Amino acid sequence: MTPKPKQTATDKREIYYRDRVRQHGQRYRQFHLPSVEVLLNLAYTYNVTATRLARAIGKHGLSLSSFNLLMILSRSGSEGCPLHEIGELLLVSRANITGLVDSLERKGLVERVADKRDRRVRVARITRTGETLLESILPGHYLELRKICSGLNNAEKASLRDLLTKLRHSVQFSQNKKRPRKSKK
Amino acid sequence: MTPKPKQTATDKREIYYRDRVRQHGQRYRQFHLPSVEVLLNLAYTYNVTATRLARAIGKHGLSLSSFNLLMILSRSGSEGCPLHEIGELLLVSRANITGLVDSLERKGLVERVADKRDRRVRVARITRTGETLLESILPGHYLELRKICSGLNNAEKASLRDLLTKLRHSVQFSQNKKRPRKSKK
DNA sequence: GGTAAATAGTTAAGGCCCTAACTATATTTT
DNA sequence: AAAATATAGTTAGGGCCTTAACTATTTACC
């Protein structure tokens, strides 16, 4: 029943993780502290950053995904972009793209067009309204990105970028080595 | 109609981003290449990593969130953990915790207990079944974390951890400075 | 001590994301 | 050329996550 120092959530998180690391470090032979710390921090930092950006974009009535989709279409211009290609660029499933394009179409920001050369494909194209909206968002967005990173100098940013890239390649490389033989339907 | 070099999705992403960076770098005054690159890579790397881990955990019938919730309760032991505290540790809303605990309760991995001291709070407690499941997952999970990071040496891991922490603080700091005055409803 | 404000949890409605199954069209194989 | 396979998109169903509104309880204030 002491006065209770009024812990913040961040404190609680740190205590929790410290405890867990200590216990599991002893209990599990495969526990590797540097790896655990990297991935814990990756998730935590991404979460904080994405939430912050999503809120900013949300003020304009868009989700982060919709915003990124508009960015892709903005680059494609009047040619548009096949839906499956959007999925590859955004790293999400085709089914999800159908839904995202539906919702942007309802808002008049995007339109679907048939592709003449391949009748299976439909192309999404940004509308004039969509371009206008995007251009109204971008200056503030790029300012926000800059502010978010303002605690790191340029050398640190470059270093972080390179280490993230290296980690990503490590993930992808270690994935490809799974199941080296025995592929059975 | 050339033979078509059969681009991979990764290639397409790189071409797309290079293009965008070139165009927006010229068009928007606030565009800051190092910041953009850091955040692009943060999102991409997190996505790849989380997807990989979610698939591994999914083979045991759990989502990443459920798994992390079980980890928290495992540390709390027989005392259990109040639902709102779980939310703070996982960085998700209270409403979401209700749903996660519901689903784990249906699977018999967790139980809800009343708190004697404060009748508002309910405490979640891991069951024996839950502990058994968790212990069957953890060795493989820690091995997976280690493999994922195997492309980085320990110095690089430590450096990445520190830079991610610094970026996170930068995000949180620049957030607190918003709206320094004039709070209106 | 009684009211106002804060806190814990739930419910409801909606968005994003997934996989699996389905339709339509193209491509490859034989 | 016909059959088998692959690809593009959609639909259906479900999981995780959010905010807003609601109930119950506790704490703070006057």
Side-chain angles (χ1 to χ4, degrees):
Chain A
M1 304 306 166
T2 64
K4 201 183 187 184
K6 185 63 175 174
Q7 275 180 350
T8 68
T10 302
D11 287 339
K12 281 188 192 163
R13 277 183 69 91
E14 277 171 20
I15 292 169
Y16 163 63
Y17 282 119
R18 214 163 9 232
D19 263 35
R20 211 180 90 185
V21 158
R22 183 152 27 79
Q23 290 180 14
H24 288 192
Q26 293 178 349
R27 185 149 21 187
Y28 296 99
R29 197 170 43 83
Q30 292 295 354
F31 185 96
H32 186 239
L33 182 57
S35 299
V36 170
E37 285 182 334
V38 160
L39 295 175
L40 234 37
N41 276 288
L42 176 64
Y44 190 6
T45 302
Y46 170 78
N47 188 319
V48 168
T49 309
T51 301
R52 162 96 176 256
L53 289 177
R55 267 186 232 282
I57 299 291
K59 293 204 175 111
H60 299 272
L62 290 180
S63 69
L64 223 41
S65 297
S66 300
F67 172 71
N68 284 325
L69 202 162
L70 276 188
M71 292 278 265
I72 288 172
L73 297 188
S74 160
R75 168 175 172 271
S76 300
S78 59
E79 267 194 42
C81 184
L83 300 202
H84 69 273
E85 197 169 324
I86 300 176
E88 290 168 16
L89 294 174
L90 247 31
L91 298 179
V92 300
S93 66
R94 286 171 302 159
N96 191 17
I97 296 297
T98 296
L100 287 175
V101 171
D102 280 351
S103 101
L104 287 173
E105 205 171 18
R106 274 195 299 273
K107 291 180 190 158
L109 304 174
V110 149
E111 57 193 358
R112 277 183 172 86
V113 187
D115 184 308
K116 287 165 190 69
R117 285 161 305 185
D118 186 336
R119 296 200 323 197
R120 289 170 303 180
V121 351
R122 318 210 73 193
V123 164
R125 198 161 61 188
I126 193 168
T127 63
R128 197 76 204 83
T129 312
E131 274 181 13
T132 306
L133 174 62
L134 195 55
E135 277 161 21
S136 76
I137 296 177
L138 282 174
H141 177 67
Y142 283 124
L143 176 58
E144 186 79 354
L145 295 189
R146 185 171 201 157
K147 284 201 297 192
I148 279 179
C149 295
S150 58
L152 276 63
N153 63 37
N154 283 348
E156 288 169 330
K157 285 179 190 124
S159 174
L160 179 50
R161 177 202 60 199
D162 291 342
L163 287 167
L164 285 168
T165 301
K166 196 163 185 180
L167 173 57
R168 186 170 66 247
H169 291 160
S170 172
V171 174
Q172 288 165 338
F173 177 71
S174 67
Q175 187 138 34
N176 293 337
K177 292 207 306 185
K178 295 191 77 165
R179 305 192 176 292
R181 59 196 69 215
K182 239 201 251 204
S183 89
K184 177 197 133 193
K185 171 61 198 273
Chain B
M1 303 311 164
T2 66
K4 202 181 186 187
K6 187 64 174 171
Q7 275 181 350
T8 68
T10 302
D11 288 339
K12 281 189 192 164
R13 279 183 68 91
E14 276 172 21
I15 292 170
Y16 163 63
Y17 282 119
R18 223 179 343 251
D19 262 33
R20 210 179 90 185
V21 158
R22 184 153 25 79
Q23 288 179 15
H24 288 192
Q26 293 178 350
R27 188 151 17 189
Y28 297 99
R29 198 170 41 84
Q30 293 294 354
F31 185 96
H32 186 237
L33 182 56
S35 298
V36 170
E37 286 182 334
V38 160
L39 297 174
L40 235 37
N41 276 287
L42 176 63
Y44 190 5
T45 302
Y46 170 78
N47 188 317
V48 168
T49 309
T51 300
R52 162 97 177 254
L53 289 177
R55 267 186 232 281
I57 298 292
K59 294 205 174 113
H60 299 271
L62 290 180
S63 69
L64 223 41
S65 298
S66 299
F67 171 70
N68 284 325
L69 201 162
L70 276 188
M71 291 280 264
I72 289 172
L73 296 188
S74 160
R75 168 175 170 270
S76 300
S78 60
E79 267 194 43
C81 184
L83 300 200
H84 69 274
E85 198 169 321
I86 299 176
E88 290 167 17
L89 294 174
L90 285 182
L91 297 180
V92 301
S93 66
R94 286 171 301 159
N96 191 17
I97 296 299
T98 295
L100 287 175
V101 171
D102 280 351
S103 102
L104 287 174
E105 205 171 19
R106 274 195 298 274
K107 290 180 189 157
L109 304 174
V110 149
E111 56 193 356
R112 277 184 173 86
V113 186
D115 183 310
K116 286 167 189 66
R117 286 162 304 187
D118 186 336
R119 297 200 319 198
R120 289 171 305 182
V121 351
R122 320 209 71 193
V123 164
R125 199 161 62 188
I126 194 169
T127 63
R128 196 76 205 83
T129 312
E131 272 180 16
T132 306
L133 174 62
L134 194 56
E135 277 161 23
S136 76
I137 296 177
L138 283 174
H141 177 66
Y142 282 124
L143 175 60
E144 185 80 353
L145 296 189
R146 185 172 200 154
K147 283 200 299 191
I148 280 180
C149 295
S150 58
L152 278 63
N153 62 37
N154 283 349
E156 288 170 328
K157 284 180 189 123
S159 174
L160 179 50
R161 176 201 60 198
D162 291 341
L163 287 167
L164 285 168
T165 302
K166 195 162 186 180
L167 174 57
R168 186 170 64 247
H169 292 160
S170 172
V171 174
Q172 289 165 337
F173 177 71
S174 67
Q175 188 136 36
N176 294 337
K177 292 207 307 183
K178 293 193 78 168
R179 307 195 177 288
R181 58 197 67 215
K182 238 203 255 207
S183 87
K184 176 197 132 193
K185 166 59 194 279

